[in-house]
Amino acid sequence: MRINSNNEWGRLKSVVVGSATNANWPSDDPVFAEEAKKTTWTATPVPGGPVPQWIIDEANEDLEILADTLTKLKISVYRPKDLDFVKLGGMYNYCPRDRLIIAGKTVIVPNMMYPCRNMEEVALDAVLDAAEHYVYMPRDQGMIMDAANVCRMNDRWLF
């Protein structure tokens, strides 16, 4: 794998497709718990604990179709390593685009709103290992960001 990307519209050569395996609604993340208190949804309780297996199976089936389609288009597909999010108190590997920003040959690892999601970078170590450089956003300065909220336009970014 080579890391080198600066925008959202260049030819897609490789991609990480997520996985729903071991998905979990965290019960120990204080930010997740605080946000759950703010919901206006009342039809069902706020989810907590392991995601039901039938939902994981359905999501993984769709992700496999996506990965197979991309592979048929000659795009290299990488998958995150499975982590036991239930045991670790994490969330999931469903959205790897949330976790890393590729800026040229550098990978930027932002801190996400939910601290429990920061462990997901461990499942993406192949991407980090392939980068010439990587930079971690310091949580102690209160900065948070989902990488998926960044639109890279060469030397400019929209957030």
Side-chain angles (χ1 to χ4, degrees), residues 10 27 31 52 121-122 148:
S27 55
V31 179
E121 73 190 54
V122 173

Side-chain angles (χ1 to χ4, degrees), residues 3 96-111 121 127-128 131 133-138 145-147 150 152 157:
I3 301 293
R97 174 68 172 93
D98 291 353
R99 287 304 306 134
L100 305 174
I101 301 171
I102 309 298
K105 297 178 181 181
T106 300
V107 175
I108 300 167
V109 184
N111 281 307
E121 73 190 54
V127 178
L128 290 171
H133 310 282
Y134 52 90
V135 179
Y136 287 86
M137 181 183 283
M145 174 173 61
D146 282 19
V150 175
R152 300 166 306 127
W157 291 4

Side-chain angles (χ1 to χ4, degrees), residues 84-150:
D84 188 344
F85 290 106
V86 176
K87 182 179 177 183
L88 295 170
M91 204 168 210
Y92 48 51
N93 277 325
Y94 186 76
C95 305
R97 174 68 172 93
D98 291 353
R99 287 304 306 134
L100 305 174
I101 301 171
I102 309 298
K105 297 178 181 181
T106 300
V107 175
I108 300 167
V109 184
N111 281 307
M112 303 198 58
M113 181 175 169
Y114 303 132
C116 67
R117 292 211 52 204
N118 284 339
M119 71 179 65
E120 294 167 32
E121 73 190 54
V122 173
L124 300 168
D125 61 353
V127 178
L128 290 171
D129 291 346
E132 283 190 15
H133 310 282
Y134 52 90
V135 179
Y136 287 86
M137 181 183 283
R139 179 169 285 282
D140 61 352
Q141 296 179 17
M143 296 185 291
I144 58 170
M145 174 173 61
D146 282 19
N149 292 337
V150 175

Side-chain angles (χ1 to χ4, degrees), residues 13-34:
K13 297 177 183 175
S14 63
V15 66
V16 178
V17 173
S19 169
T21 301
N22 300 320
N24 180 56
W25 295 110
S27 55
D28 296 331
D29 185 308
V31 179
F32 187 85
E34 190 60 35

